DNA sequence: TCAATAGTGTCTGTTAGACATTATGGA
DNA sequence: TCCATAATGTCTAACAGACACTATTGA
């Protein structure tokens, strides 16, 4: 059992082409939307994710910020890495390895450039296979981390109503939530504080505006949930 | 507002040096342990994570499997990507970008090569700064995903007692769990099935052996938890 | 006045943790 | 016999969801 290949302690590092592919997500008209840019006529698909190679010395999140900014016309509020992919799937720039990054932006922020457009997550046009995978993974990552990470608040303006917040959670989770339970749990979490402003939208009672203001508190210490469902 | 930099639709892809850094995790004597390999005398730190550049055409997980196999002498049971890093922190091979991958292996599997050793997660020797970051992130990722992913079962032999399983969860979560609650939740999850074998270890009543055998079931549909704790 | 939305109080079934008890082996 | 560990039953407090109700605005 001692004739295994030696450990590559100081292996020769090969050179690889690397792309940062950004999934800019934003709530648009009752659906999560992705920002896509029009591809040149020569490309096989007509749309693609905003992407680029990182500049020398530029961090991956910095590159993602630059790329998102160029397409959206504003800096997204939050970045979450989706992971690195180097399967055989085709990338528009034929990069060997892609780092997928989800960028979250509130509705109505920024003015996308002429060649960019929002598409609902549920009805995307054809994308290069690797971009398709990255979008799917980004959506999964965002859904998975929504209650460990303040993701939802990054899809909202600095002040928001509790119905706004619940709406974002419903978009992210893809299902309706119970209003009273949602507010009770939110109250117990000390994540938001009320402002003294109210917003009136058409009919109905005006809603109080809140802001994200998490209070330090000890972790929940709850039991194991075994939330694996094999589908 | 139209004089923003053009979108890099077809940017020139630069070449980058890429490393896959593997955090092999295994339960050893009541603590999670990481497999490190002895670095050459010329290196600044005496130990490092097993790592290598991916071969041309080799997927990242394939590379991680090859690298882990070379150090551990056996294939780990599970891989979970930790993410890509390209901050300025120093890497033993000076790679521009590292992809960190956590590899899980049951206790007692494999025979580490001569230059490899297990270190408890809580008392690691000095590592190159980027390796240190990757280890910390791997531990965080594993802790975070333990109830969405069958991680715990990959740190156990194919059959195990419920006390074994609870012990692994306690290692991963870093806290004690309530026995009756743990078993109730496990029962309700349909993740394990009993075998007709029993194991007697020293004193005490012998324990029944179980195996991981998840049944298809619908997702839990529970409410939002707001499990962000800012510490 | 009606319609629509915000926000809250109460009830009930479920569940997590505390505690106690039984079961079964080895020393 | 005693001790250690496995496995399970019961009680209780906390919680999630259903439902109903009040509050406050615009049409």
């Amino acid at each position: 059992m001692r004739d295994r290949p030696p450990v590559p302690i100081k292996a020769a590092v090969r050179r690889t082409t690397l792309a940062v592919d950004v999934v800019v997500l934003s709530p648009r008209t009752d659906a999560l939307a992705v920002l896509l840019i029009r591809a040149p006529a020569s490309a096989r698909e007509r749309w693609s994710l905003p992407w680029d190679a990182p500049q020398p010395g530029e961090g991956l999140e910095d590159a993602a910020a630059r790329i998102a900014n160029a397409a959206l016309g504003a800096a997204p509020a939050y970045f979450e890495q989706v992971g690195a992919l180097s399967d055989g799937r085709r990338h528009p720039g034929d990069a060997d390895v892609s780092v997928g990054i989800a960028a979250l932006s509130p509705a109505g922020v920024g003015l996308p450039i002429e060649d960019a457009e929002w598409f609902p997550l549920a009805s995307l046009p054809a994308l290069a296979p690797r971009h398709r995978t990255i979008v799917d993974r980004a959506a999964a990552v965002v859904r998975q981390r929504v209650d460990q990470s303040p993701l939802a608040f990054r899809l909202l303006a600095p002040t928001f109503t509790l119905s706004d917040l619940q709406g974002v959670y419903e978009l992210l989770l893809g299902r309706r939530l119970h209003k009273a339970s949602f507010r009770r749990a939110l109250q117990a979490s000390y994540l938001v504080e009320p402002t003294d402003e109210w917003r009136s939208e058409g009919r109905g009672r005006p809603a109080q505006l809140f802001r994200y203001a998490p209070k330090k508190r000890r972790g929940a210490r709850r039991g194991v949930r075994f939330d694996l469902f094999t589908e």
Side-chain angles (χ1 to χ4, degrees), chain A:
Chain A
M1 275 297 276
R2 282 278 144 220
D3 51 342
R4 278 184 244 108
V7 201
I9 290 181
K10 197 81 183 181
V13 250
R14 279 174 199 79
R15 304 215 147 247
T16 315
T17 56
L18 179 69
V20 172
D21 301 78
V22 185
V23 184
V24 185
L25 292 170
S26 189
R28 317 281 299 181
T29 62
D30 291 330
L32 259 197
V34 186
L35 190 61
L36 300 181
I37 60 179
R38 206 179 303 274
S42 60
R44 275 187 50 183
E45 285 83 14
R46 291 173 45 206
W47 297 92
S48 88
L49 291 177
W51 71 274
D52 194 13
Q55 305 292 327
E58 182 186 46
L60 297 169
E61 263 75 16
D62 300 325
R66 172 174 58 78
I67 295 162
N69 214 325
L72 178 63
Y78 198 69
F79 297 92
E80 182 104 16
Q81 202 182 110
V82 170
L85 274 91
S86 83
D87 45 27
R89 282 187 274 267
R90 185 163 46 80
H91 180 269
D94 290 320
D96 297 323
V97 178
S98 279
V99 175
I101 294 189
L104 306 185
S105 184
V109 168
L111 182 63
I113 55 167
E114 207 176 313
D115 278 327
E117 238 172 71
W118 293 105
F119 288 86
L121 204 46
S123 57
L124 295 181
L127 292 174
R130 198 191 285 166
H131 274 181
R132 181 73 236 185
T133 304
I134 289 173
V135 170
D136 291 343
R137 281 222 208 164
V141 162
V142 162
R143 289 200 170 109
Q144 212 167 45
R145 300 198 191 156
V146 67
D147 32 65
Q148 275 83 40
S149 200
L151 293 178
F153 302 96
R154 310 308 176 178
L155 291 172
L156 291 166
T159 64
F160 47 83
T161 69
L162 297 188
S163 296
D164 290 341
L165 182 61
Q166 182 174 344
V168 168
Y169 270 95
E170 290 177 344
L171 282 191
L172 290 174
L173 296 172
R175 62 195 168 92
R176 301 301 308 274
L177 295 173
H178 189 266
K179 183 165 74 166
S181 295
F182 180 83
R183 293 178 182 214
R184 244 185 328 215
L186 186 64
Q187 199 77 10
S189 71
Y190 298 102
L191 287 178
V192 299
E193 66 183 20
T195 69
D196 48 6
E197 287 181 285
W198 298 73
R199 179 195 297 159
S200 191
E201 302 201 76
R203 303 225 286 202
R205 175 175 166 178
Q208 191 168 14
L209 292 177
F210 289 76
R211 75 166 62 86
Y212 178 59
K215 305 270 176 298
K216 272 194 196 340
R217 65 193 180 98
R218 208 59 218 92
R221 289 268 165 270
R222 58 184 171 76
V224 184
R225 306 287 313 214
F226 300 111
D227 272 345
L228 345 171
F229 30 93
T230 53
E231 28 206 342

